[in-house]
Amino acid sequence: MNKPLPRVRFAPSPTGFLHIGGLRTALYNFLFAKNQNGKIILRIEDTDRKRFVDGAVENLIDTLTWSGITFDEGPNVGGNFAPYLQSERLSIYQEFTQKLVSENKAYYCFCTPERLENLREEQQKLKLPQAKYDKLCLYLSKKEIEEKINSGTTYVIRLNVLPDQKVFFDDVIRDRVEFETNNIDDQVLLKSDGFPTYHLANVVDDHLMEITHVIRGEEWLSSTPKHILLYEYFGWMKPVFAHLPLLFNTDKSKLSKRQGDVAVEDYRAKGYLKEALINFVALLGWNFGDDKEFYEIDELIQKFSLDRVHKAGAVFNIEKLNWLNFEHLKRKPDTEVLKMLRTELENSEFSKSNYDDAYLLKIINVMKERVTFVYEYITKSSYFFKTPEVYEEQNLKKRWKDDSAELLKSLKDKFQTLVAPSKEDYEKALDETAIQFNTNKGNFIHPLRIAVSGVGEGPGVYDIVSIIGKDETVSRINTVINKLSK
Ligand code: GLU
């Protein structure tokens, strides 16, 4: 018999935003599915009503759409992003819970929050390693249960975990993982509001949706024994499990908001390209066994495998992300960068100006080796969009000499004689003026750069001059002479 094609899922809880770790989980599921010709499903695990945040599902879908991760299946097939919503499937979970109850594998529990709190406190006093429910309600008679239900007493339904047994599973990344049932609490499966807990809904859906591989973060590892018990109690085949390594800050603390951004939307807002973020996140726990770090999505799909995901925590290194952004941006076709630059311009102080494509393409051409973000085309080389308002102090001290104004004036006169000059024409004109004054070219080049850009760094000065054009260059030379000659 042929092995069925893999079916995986990304199953986020809509708690507000997509965490970088969530993006990594979604990506690894996506890469695995695409690599194996399988399918990936988006399922929203929204059964914890206390943690529900308005607009979170829309936000999640928007961020996933931006990232380029696509899904194959949902309830209203047609649109890629019609996720399964667990909150719409309550009767399914209730039905499956009843099945477990009828087989004594789960039971009604009517204990009040006060009793549970007291129990917890007592257990804490006894220094028990972990607070556990004491199974009091397991021993209620059928009649007692019926009476309590009929009188409207609130209840939950708990998993009946048998003591003194071992639960184990083979994780693709972590090999064999074993737990003792004595350390597993009688987990609530169905809450008093009729909603399932994560554990029940997750397992029921993974089964019904025929999920073959559960690929998720290591923080869920401790939940897995409960899931294994549920599979066993239901008599269902277990999926393959792969728990992805934790993410750390560079100081080895857990990746958290305190040390930087953890929401994908924050990186998007800061101007990171989805290609760079995807590339970066792919390397948080995986590599192909070599030093290669630059990847496009197609190559990731082609090379990804779970057996190359490592166990050790992965460090979030923002410098690597910046480098990847630089590399991805540099390789983008100029026409694509042009579109992005136009968007940046619309949101900048230059939104009112009309730049033609040819002008912007020239800027892209000379700046692309110098920018990490699209907005830097504007911030790092604002002189392409406006006359410099200030001249960088340090650079002036070093480069503006007593005779600079006079030399620049002659250079300006020379430039004015040029007709439709090319970059080479400007260069030639400057060379000739230097010879005429019997002085070093640098005595013209540096003040000229100050005049046209205000700063000491940037693309070649002849590039700048030929892009802004003769009239603008002459006008900027006049301005600098006025401002700086004593
Ligand atoms: N709802 C869980 C989450 O928010 C899903 C964990 C799992 O994939 O089983 O990540």
Side-chain angles (χ1 to χ4, degrees), residues 379-395:
T379 56
K380 275 197 163 175
S381 53
S382 60
Y383 44 82
F384 285 122
F385 307 101
K386 65 176 178 192
T387 305
E389 281 153 6
V390 285
Y391 304 106
E392 199 181 67
E393 204 57 52
Q394 285 298 327
N395 185 45

Side-chain angles (χ1 to χ4, degrees), residues 118-132 182-183:
N118 288 340
L119 192 64
R120 204 169 302 140
E121 278 170 17
E122 269 169 42
Q123 293 181 348
Q124 252 164 20
K125 271 189 220 141
L126 292 172
K127 299 227 174 339
L128 296 184
Q130 157 199 22
K132 272 173 64 186
N182 289 351
N183 295 327

Side-chain angles (χ1 to χ4, degrees), residues 19 110 190 253 292 338 368 379 400 413 439 448:
H19 192 282
F110 301 91
L190 205 67
S253 58
K292 187 174 158 73
L338 175 68
K368 66 159 84 156
T379 56
W400 189 263
D413 293 342
T439 184
L448 176 61

Side-chain angles (χ1 to χ4, degrees), residues 9 11-13 25 43 45 198 202 206 214-216 220 227:
R9 77 320 189 260
S13 297
T25 302
R43 183 173 78 221
E45 302 209 323
Y198 153 70
N202 188 270
D206 281 346
V214 167
I215 304 168
R216 64 183 169 203
W220 300 103
H227 301 178

Side-chain angles (χ1 to χ4, degrees), residues 9-14 17-30 40-44 56-71 80-84 263-265 268 274-275 277-278 281 297:
R9 77 320 189 260
F10 177 50
S13 297
F17 59 86
L18 181 60
H19 192 282
I20 284 284
L23 181 67
R24 199 247 333 240
T25 302
L27 178 66
Y28 282 19
N29 275 287
F30 174 78
I40 175 169
I41 291 161
L42 177 61
R43 183 173 78 221
I44 305 290
V57 176
E58 292 74 15
N59 184 295
L60 202 75
I61 290 175
D62 182 51
T63 309
L64 285 168
T65 308
W66 171 79
S67 78
I69 296 175
T70 53
F71 293 84
N80 259 339
F81 278 108
Y84 290 97
V264 174
E265 61 191 273
R268 181 181 173 188
K274 67 171 185 203
E275 291 84 353
L277 200 60
I278 288 285
V281 162
I297 190 77

